[in-house]
Amino acid sequence: MPGDRRWVDDPRTTQELIEVALTELDLEDPEQGTGAVIALQERPTPEVLQRATVLTRSASPSERRLGIQILGELNEFAPGTPAMIDETMEVLLGLAETETDEDVLAEVARAFAYRQDPRGVDPLLGWLRSPVQRLRFFVAFGASTVYSPESADRIDAALLELAGDASDAIRDYARWSIRLLGLDTPAVRDVLVAGTSDPEIGVVAESLLGLALLREPRGLGPLRDFLRHAPVRAVNNYGLEAAAAWGDPSLLLALRGLDRTQPELSDEALEIALEACETGVPFIDD
C-alpha cells in the first residue's frame, strides 16, 4: 500500500519498474504482483515525473494508462500526500481535453480524484452525464476531493443527480461523497431517505449512516429493520456505526437480537453501539 517503506526503498531502477508495471497493469490489486506501479508512485523525483509524462504521450493506450496512474498518485512518503501537484495537474488537464480512448480517459478521471486539487472539478463535472459508466463513477468518487466553496453548488447538484444513477456503485458512491462532505439540505435528506429502500444493500447502508449522522428521524425506523434483517457484513460495516451515531434506545432490541456467534460481527463495534443507545449519548467515529 502507499506509504509502505518496502515500496519507497524498492531497489529497482525507474526503467525496470516501468517495464514490470506494464506487465502488471491489469492486476485488480497492484500488490498481487511486485508492486512496481506503487514503487513508482512513491518515488516523487524529476525522473519519474518526466518518464511518466512521456508515457502519457505514447501511441500505446496501455503506456498512457500507466503514465496517468503514476502521475495520479505520485506521493510524498512523509506525510503521504500528493506530490508535484502543479506539474501533474498540467498534464492531466491537457489529457482531459485531448484523450479519446475510454479506458485511458477513465484513468484521467480517477487521477483527478487522487490529486485532490480543485482544478479537477471542471473536467470531472463535464463527465457527469457521460454514457461511459466508469467516468460517471469517478465523478461520484472524486467529488469530495475537488470540492471548493466556488464549486459547491455545482458539486452538490451533481451528487444529487448521481444518487439516482442506474449504476448501483454510482448511487452508493454519490451518497458516500455526500456524507464525506457533510451536505445537509432538504434535497439531500430526501435522497438519503429514498436510498433506504434501494434494491442495492450498499446504497441502503450508506443512506442509513448518512441519515444517522444528520439525525434525520426518517432514518430511524429503516435502521431498526436493517439491523434485524440485513446481512451481517452490512450490519457490521454500516449498521452498527449508524446505531452508535444515533444513540437511540429504540434500537436496543434490534441490537441485542444480533447473533454474536457470527464471525463477521465486531464485538467492539456492537458494544459501542449498545452503550450509545443505552446511555442515549451518540458516538461518532472520527
Side-chain angles (χ1 to χ4, degrees):
M1 65 177 59
D4 191 318
R5 286 298 328 180
R6 61 184 158 149
W7 309 128
V8 176
D9 297 332
D10 195 302
R12 290 173 288 184
T13 67
T14 298
Q15 180 58 32
E16 289 171 337
L17 288 170
I18 288 173
E19 290 173 359
V20 175
L22 281 168
T23 69
E24 299 177 346
L25 188 60
D26 292 316
L27 290 178
E28 186 173 335
D29 180 356
E31 290 194 52
Q32 290 176 342
T34 67
V37 69
I38 301 175
L40 288 163
Q41 292 165 341
E42 297 292 340
R43 190 179 290 183
T45 65
E47 180 191 17
V48 170
L49 174 68
Q50 188 269 336
R51 294 299 301 278
T53 300
V54 169
L55 285 171
T56 67
R57 299 169 184 154
S58 169
S60 163
S62 294
E63 291 188 356
R64 297 203 301 279
R65 284 175 56 205
L66 177 61
I68 293 161
Q69 283 187 10
I70 297 168
L71 296 178
E73 295 184 64
L74 196 59
N75 296 317
E76 298 286 359
F77 177 71
T81 54
M84 299 181 171
I85 292 290
D86 288 341
E87 297 91 336
T88 55
M89 283 298 295
E90 180 180 358
V91 177
L92 294 169
L93 288 168
L95 288 168
E97 294 181 355
T98 60
E99 183 59 60
T100 57
D101 184 285
E102 289 182 2
D103 291 334
V104 181
L105 204 55
E107 289 290 353
V108 176
R110 179 179 180 274
F112 283 131
Y114 282 98
R115 287 294 80 191
Q116 303 176 31
D117 189 288
R119 285 172 289 183
V121 69
D122 286 336
L124 273 180
L125 293 186
W127 296 315
L128 173 62
R129 295 178 184 135
S130 170
V132 181
Q133 180 177 312
R134 285 168 298 168
L135 289 175
R136 301 197 312 277
F137 173 84
F138 286 117
V139 179
F141 175 74
S144 65
T145 72
V146 300
Y147 197 90
S148 69
E150 293 74 23
S151 64
D153 289 345
R154 296 165 62 205
I155 289 180
D156 293 0
L159 289 174
L160 288 172
E161 181 172 333
L162 291 169
D165 197 273
S167 162
D168 294 346
I170 293 172
R171 295 197 307 279
D172 188 352
Y173 269 87
R175 287 167 171 80
W176 176 77
S177 288
I178 284 170
R179 174 166 60 86
L180 286 187
L181 290 168
L183 304 186
D184 185 8
T185 65
V188 163
R189 292 185 177 227
D190 287 345
V191 157
L192 294 179
V193 170
T196 65
S197 58
D198 196 277
E200 168 57 36
I201 190 69
V203 176
V204 175
E206 188 63 66
S207 298
L208 290 170
L209 181 53
L211 290 167
L213 294 171
L214 295 177
R215 304 196 65 76
E216 166 54 55
R218 290 176 290 171
L220 202 50
L223 178 58
R224 282 194 291 270
D225 292 338
F226 186 81
L227 293 171
R228 292 189 181 105
H229 305 300
V232 174
R233 182 183 297 275
V235 169
N236 191 57
N237 291 343
Y238 286 88
L240 295 179
E241 186 176 351
W246 267 112
D248 192 289
S250 72
L251 299 172
L252 283 171
L253 186 61
L255 288 170
R256 289 170 179 158
L258 292 173
D259 184 356
R260 289 176 179 261
T261 66
Q262 292 283 348
E264 292 178 338
L265 190 66
S266 166
D267 283 338
E268 181 182 5
L270 178 56
E271 290 302 326
I272 290 172
L274 283 167
E275 181 178 354
C277 293
E278 286 167 352
T279 61
V281 179
F283 176 87
I284 307 296
D285 186 3
D286 295 331

